[in-house]
């Protein structure tokens, strides 16, 4: 699912559900809640293929809707697995631990974000 599709789903189901009113009222409501312009919200509502969602917009949608974008969930799950592995190897040689963590990150395609 792309970020645009994720935002569309979040807008329609969580941020401005049908109980808010008619479609135009729902878009206006979502616009106010997110602090976006009406046209930007409308483009996301209809998942206009010409737009791209900026990271700060994605974070805002996640915060308001309570939903998490799937790619971020996967990243958190991988980080948790790395933390558990590091904790299990905590008493071992620190160079060995760093090497194992680096190998796991590399295998998962995760860059060092520290």
């Amino acid at each position: 699912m792309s970020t645009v599709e994720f935002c569309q789903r979040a807008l329609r189901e969580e941020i401005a559900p049908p109980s808010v009113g008619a479609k135009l009222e729902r878009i206006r409501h979502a616009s106010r809640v997110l602090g976006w312009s009406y046209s930007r919200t409308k483009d996301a509502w209809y998942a206009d293929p010409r737009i791209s969602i900026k990271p700060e917009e994605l974070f805002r949608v996640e915060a308001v809707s309570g939903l998490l974008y799937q790619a971020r969930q996967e990243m958190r799950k991988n980080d948790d697995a790395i933390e558990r592995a590091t904790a299990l190897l905590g008493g071992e040689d620190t160079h060995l631990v760093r090497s194992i963590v680096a190998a796991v990150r590399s295998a998962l395609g995760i860059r060092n974000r520290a």
Side-chain angles (χ1 to χ4, degrees), residues 10 53 60 80 86:
I53 302 298
R60 179 72 179 146
D80 290 344
T86 303

Side-chain angles (χ1 to χ4, degrees), residues 88-105:
L88 289 172
L89 297 170
E92 301 295 323
D93 179 22
T94 56
H95 178 57
L96 175 65
V97 172
R98 285 191 194 116
S99 299
I100 292 171
V101 170
V104 170
R105 284 182 187 265

Side-chain angles (χ1 to χ4, degrees), residues 16-53:
S19 61
V20 171
K23 191 183 312 179
L24 295 177
E25 292 173 37
R26 292 170 64 193
I27 295 171
R28 195 173 298 116
H29 173 78
S31 172
R32 283 191 305 266
V33 169
L34 292 172
W36 295 0
S37 69
Y38 179 83
S39 61
R40 180 69 174 166
T41 308
K42 182 179 171 188
D43 288 345
W45 182 273
Y46 289 108
D48 188 329
R50 296 173 293 178
I51 69 166
S52 63
I53 302 298

